[in-house]
Amino acid sequence: MRILVQKFGGTSVATPERRAQVASKVSEAVHSGYSPVVVVSAIGRSGDPYATDTFLNLAKGIYSDLPKRELDLLMSCGEVISGTVLVSTLNSIGFEAVLFTGAHAGIITNDDFGDARIVRVEPGAILEQLEKGKVVVVTGFQGITEDGQITTLGRGGSDTTASALGVALEAETIDIYTDVDGIMTADPRIVEDARIIDTVTYNEICQLAYQGAKVIHPRAVEIAMQRNIPLRIKSTFSDAPGTLVTNMLPDRGVGTDITNDRIITGIAHTPNVTQLKVLTENTPDLHLTDKRIFKALALADISVDFISVQTEAVEFTVSDEVASKAIKILQNMGFEPGVIPSCAKVSIVGAGIAGVPGVMADMVEALSDAGVTILQSADSHTTIWVLVHKEDMATAVQALHQKFRLGVC
């Protein structure tokens, strides 16, 4: 049995016309010899009647501190609605389809309500239905604990569902359908000549996703990577081939590999962050001070990023929305942090960065020539990050895209 997992986002199931296009993709898979498992997100986006955020706003408009367990029960409804509607659509065109919730699909999670992690998948019930020739539709974004509590998987949870099912079912491929034609070299709303990336490695797409590209959640990529199952990022609304995510790159000629062929794969950005700088040079125990700072922020459930620990200071970023809370915590600890609000992180990502001299120099030159001030920088094996003022973000992305010739095929 050739199993194909197909995941469709909220915009793909938002109208009868779009659900017909989804059904066409499913029909195409069946006629190509696949047994499809279809994962769906909730219908539409915030403001739409059955979107997850619409449900949340309804409840929080009554009581803002509803427990996470109850919120998960509420949030799981959106996918049940979209899944039922899609099953109805498939049945209407002659397919025998069946709907499984995350619990029915055997997706077992921990009890971290609102951001649960999948512990294991028990796919027996899905396989039984596939053997009968049925199309199995699974509600994304949700699972169930060992003791029967419904949980949700956090942002990008339907992508995670699709990847987990793909691994458990030993699928040939996992297709992630969205409203764009694939992963692009930069945000096309910022860069006019941004283009589709035909092939990308798991590591590259993880980095792009973590740094702000929102086409697929990095957790989903990491799960697929465990079994080396190819991911394809495609559009529901076109027949474009999309972007293939895999460790197996296409043959580009003898002696040519990804490092030499393409140093930079894409540019990502994350707006709305605040840089905090805490002077620590006059504290009696630097190591203890650093530990206390990050421990206090962690206890307050504040995520920190872009961390730079030096002998005289600690620099890091937090999202703008929690900046005032973080500042108050630091002040209560006796610090008066330096604050630069409304920043953005801009990143270049590529498997070819490591070991290639001059990449950072080219990045600095491009930003300097564009009049962009670098507030902070860092690098890893496949990524170089810079922190800039938010008003410089678009200019920085455009300058780097042009510098590394990413608009050139």
Side-chain angles (χ1 to χ4, degrees):
M1 183 163 50
R2 300 173 62 204
I3 296 175
L4 172 67
V5 175
Q6 298 175 297
K7 179 263 176 177
F8 295 93
T11 56
S12 296
V13 293
T15 66
E17 294 76 19
R18 291 182 174 186
R19 289 191 289 273
Q21 289 176 298
V22 169
S24 176
K25 300 292 184 183
V26 175
S27 177
E28 183 181 326
V30 172
H31 289 111
S32 296
Y34 288 105
S35 297
V37 175
V38 183
V39 177
V40 292
S41 298
I43 293 175
R45 292 176 175 166
S46 182
D48 293 330
Y50 306 114
T52 301
D53 286 340
T54 303
F55 293 147
L56 286 175
N57 292 336
L58 173 64
K60 289 186 174 182
I62 301 169
Y63 182 64
S64 61
D65 292 324
L66 193 67
K68 289 184 176 181
R69 175 186 175 277
E70 279 66 34
L71 285 175
D72 272 10
L73 284 167
L74 175 63
M75 288 191 291
S76 69
C77 294
E79 282 72 20
V80 174
I81 293 170
S82 62
T84 302
V85 171
L86 183 59
V87 165
S88 181
T89 301
L90 291 169
N91 286 342
S92 72
I93 60 172
F95 289 101
E96 193 173 358
V98 59
L99 177 64
F100 279 14
T101 65
H104 296 145
I107 298 173
I108 312 302
T109 76
N110 64 13
D111 60 357
D112 186 7
F113 295 106
D115 193 25
R117 294 295 192 269
I118 297 175
V119 176
R120 68 181 185 279
V121 178
E122 300 172 350
I126 293 178
L127 289 169
E128 183 180 335
Q129 296 300 316
L130 294 178
E131 291 285 357
K132 295 177 180 178
K134 295 183 180 181
V135 174
V136 178
V137 177
V138 179
T139 56
F141 180 61
Q142 61 183 252
I144 193 168
T145 64
E146 298 279 7
D147 62 352
Q149 300 295 321
I150 292 175
T151 56
T152 64
L153 307 179
R155 190 178 71 85
S158 292
D159 292 346
T160 306
T161 299
S163 282
L165 289 173
V167 168
L169 294 165
E170 298 182 354
E172 284 192 15
T173 306
I174 302 163
D175 285 349
I176 306 293
Y177 285 94
T178 71
D179 53 4
V180 297
D181 285 338
I183 306 294
M184 304 194 75
T185 52
D187 189 334
R189 294 170 297 183
I190 294 177
V191 179
E192 288 185 0
D193 63 343
R195 61 178 180 82
I196 300 294
I197 304 169
D198 56 356
T199 308
V200 66
T201 66
Y202 292 112
N203 190 33
E204 286 174 314
I205 195 60
C206 270
Q207 290 300 319
L208 285 168
Y210 275 123
Q211 305 317 317
K214 294 181 172 62
V215 177
I216 187 171
H217 196 279
R219 195 185 303 171
V221 180
E222 291 166 352
I223 291 172
M225 184 167 55
Q226 293 175 12
R227 295 289 179 87
N228 203 29
I229 297 179
L231 285 160
R232 292 183 298 198
I233 316 299
K234 307 172 75 174
S235 173
T236 307
F237 315 118
S238 80
D239 293 322
T243 300
L244 176 66
V245 185
T246 178
N247 280 332
M248 301 299 292
L249 293 164
D251 184 10
R252 298 172 185 263
V254 177
T256 302
D257 60 23
I258 187 68
T259 301
N260 294 323
D261 183 67
R262 185 178 68 195
I263 294 175
I264 305 300
T265 297
I267 314 292
H269 62 277
T270 304
N272 305 320
V273 297
T274 294
Q275 185 197 54
L276 300 177
K277 183 174 183 178
V278 181
L279 298 178
T280 58
E281 58 184 343
N282 295 322
T283 56
D285 189 328
L286 292 177
H287 299 296
L288 181 60
T289 299
D290 297 343
K291 179 180 177 181
R292 287 178 56 232
I293 289 172
F294 293 120
K295 185 71 171 177
L297 294 170
L299 289 173
D301 203 25
I302 295 176
S303 177
V304 299
D305 191 17
F306 222 137
I307 302 167
S308 174
V309 179
Q310 306 159 29
T311 55
E312 71 281 0
V314 174
E315 289 180 318
F316 54 90
T317 61
V318 298
S319 66
D320 283 350
E321 63 184 1
V322 299
S324 59
K325 181 179 177 182
I327 292 168
K328 187 170 294 185
I329 289 170
L330 294 170
Q331 289 172 336
N332 289 340
M333 296 174 69
F335 299 107
E336 195 55 52
V339 180
I340 304 180
S342 299
C343 298
K345 184 169 70 169
V346 177
S347 315
I348 58 173
V349 177
I353 288 178
V356 178
V359 178
M360 184 64 181
D362 286 343
M363 188 175 191
V364 172
E365 180 181 54
L367 296 177
S368 176
D369 289 349
V372 175
T373 299
I374 298 174
L375 304 173
Q376 193 177 340
S377 67
D379 66 272
S380 72
H381 189 67
T382 58
T383 309
I384 301 176
W385 307 269
V386 292
L387 189 71
V388 302
H389 293 290
K390 184 180 176 181
E391 59 263 29
D392 291 333
M393 181 184 73
T395 300
V397 172
Q398 292 161 357
L400 293 171
H401 197 270
Q402 181 177 11
K403 183 69 174 180
F404 292 105
R405 295 174 56 81
L406 296 181
V408 178
C409 295

